[in-house]
Amino acid sequence: MKMILLKRKTLTVLSCLLAAACMFYVVNYPAAVGAAATERQLPIYCVQRDQKMLSISFDAAWGNEDTQQLIDILAKYNVKATFFVVGDWVDRYPESVKALHDAGHEVMNHSNTHAHLPQLSADEIVADLNACNDKIEAVTGVRPTLIRPPYGDYDDHSILAIRSMGMEPIQWDVDSLDWKELPAGEITQRVVSRVKPGSIVLFHNAALHTPEALPSILEQLLQEGYTFVPISELILSGEYSINHEGRQCPAA
């Protein structure tokens, strides 16, 4: 009997110590507790689609030497793409922004100055994206609804700031790695082998071998039965969820 009482007393003491330790952690590290309890905010990397449809996208931040060539290649295959452009790029090449729009491509937001969004406050993010939106709208007459964070860099607060504007953050699930100046054949193999229904493919304008690789990519995927649509037509409207891989799925 005495042994049982001692065990009960020991368990009571241990329970009190554990409760005290938990309270100490909550009081001194509230951010960690909050982060664990909050669902992570994710952009859209790809979309759950049963049909063989996908989107190709281009980031435009630096050069402009091949923009018209890309427009011509896409026109040859009757493919519409999404171009994410930086506000500074719009300032330098408004005629190319207009040419993209006139050719039927989406011109969307890639920030105003190509800053790392997690380093900005929510107000600074909103101001930056609105500045880029204003520039694009002034040239095309259409205000962007999609944003690709520069460097693919984001965190919870930047995604929440973006969505507070009614915009949708977009990443990719197929990276061409064309910015690494890979040979055209390697770019083609990378993209064609990784694409699946609902994919979003990342290219860059002013990448050395992209104009050489693009026709082969389009031809092979068209032969496989894929349809190309701008990202705004690929993503789902209405109720949806985004799983841990960044796949946008219809609401259950």
Side-chain angles (χ1 to χ4, degrees):
M1 186 69 175
K2 187 174 183 180
M3 181 63 70
I4 293 174
L5 290 173
L6 285 174
K7 285 184 177 179
R8 286 179 178 173
K9 182 180 289 187
T10 300
L11 288 172
T12 301
V13 171
L14 289 173
S15 298
C16 291
L17 289 173
L18 180 60
C22 290
M23 183 60 68
F24 175 84
Y25 190 82
V26 170
V27 170
N28 289 279
Y29 302 99
V33 174
T38 303
E39 185 177 351
R40 186 183 177 202
Q41 300 296 315
L42 290 174
I44 295 173
Y45 282 77
C46 58
V47 181
Q48 180 178 313
R49 286 286 190 178
D50 296 327
Q51 313 96 316
K52 296 184 77 171
M53 61 193 307
L54 62 92
S55 294
I56 63 173
S57 62
F58 297 83
D59 288 357
W62 316 120
N64 188 41
E65 50 270 29
D66 65 358
T67 304
Q68 187 58 50
Q69 188 178 3
L70 294 174
I71 291 173
D72 294 341
I73 293 169
L74 293 167
K76 178 181 178 181
Y77 296 94
N78 195 29
V79 169
K80 305 304 182 187
T82 302
F83 285 76
F84 292 95
V85 302
V86 173
D88 289 348
W89 196 85
V90 180
D91 291 336
R92 296 196 302 274
Y93 310 113
E95 70 288 347
S96 291
V97 175
K98 186 175 187 304
L100 288 167
H101 173 72
D102 290 347
H105 302 295
E106 289 187 329
V107 182
M108 294 294 178
N109 194 316
H110 195 34
S111 85
N112 194 45
T113 60
H114 211 262
H116 288 273
L117 297 188
Q119 297 177 7
L120 306 180
S121 68
D123 288 343
E124 288 172 332
I125 291 171
V126 170
D128 181 277
L129 301 192
N130 273 327
C132 183
N133 283 344
D134 290 344
K135 293 175 181 180
I136 294 171
E137 186 176 18
V139 175
T140 67
V142 179
R143 195 164 188 83
T145 56
L146 307 178
I147 158 72
R148 173 164 286 157
Y151 311 101
D153 189 15
Y154 64 88
D155 60 5
D156 284 359
H157 103 272
S158 56
I159 297 300
L160 288 170
I162 290 167
R163 290 196 168 120
S164 76
M165 303 173 64
M167 299 185 73
E168 194 62 54
I170 303 294
Q171 293 285 86
W172 60 87
D173 66 325
V174 179
D175 190 347
S176 68
L177 294 183
D178 57 354
W179 59 273
K180 288 189 173 184
E181 300 187 356
L182 300 177
E186 189 170 340
I187 293 173
T188 299
Q189 193 278 333
R190 277 189 59 84
V191 172
V192 172
S193 66
R194 287 167 170 77
V195 157
K196 55 186 178 293
S199 281
I200 298 174
V201 186
L202 171 65
F203 294 101
H204 298 79
N205 82 315
L208 185 60
H209 297 297
T210 299
E212 182 185 354
L214 189 57
S216 178
I217 292 170
L218 298 179
E219 288 171 7
Q220 290 188 48
L221 292 176
L222 285 168
Q223 288 174 4
E224 291 181 17
Y226 277 97
T227 300
F228 296 87
V229 296
I231 292 174
S232 67
E233 296 180 22
L234 181 74
I235 61 178
L236 306 172
S237 57
E239 295 295 319
Y240 66 84
S241 62
I242 299 176
N243 70 14
H244 67 284
E245 296 178 331
R247 181 182 301 276
Q248 186 192 34
C249 305

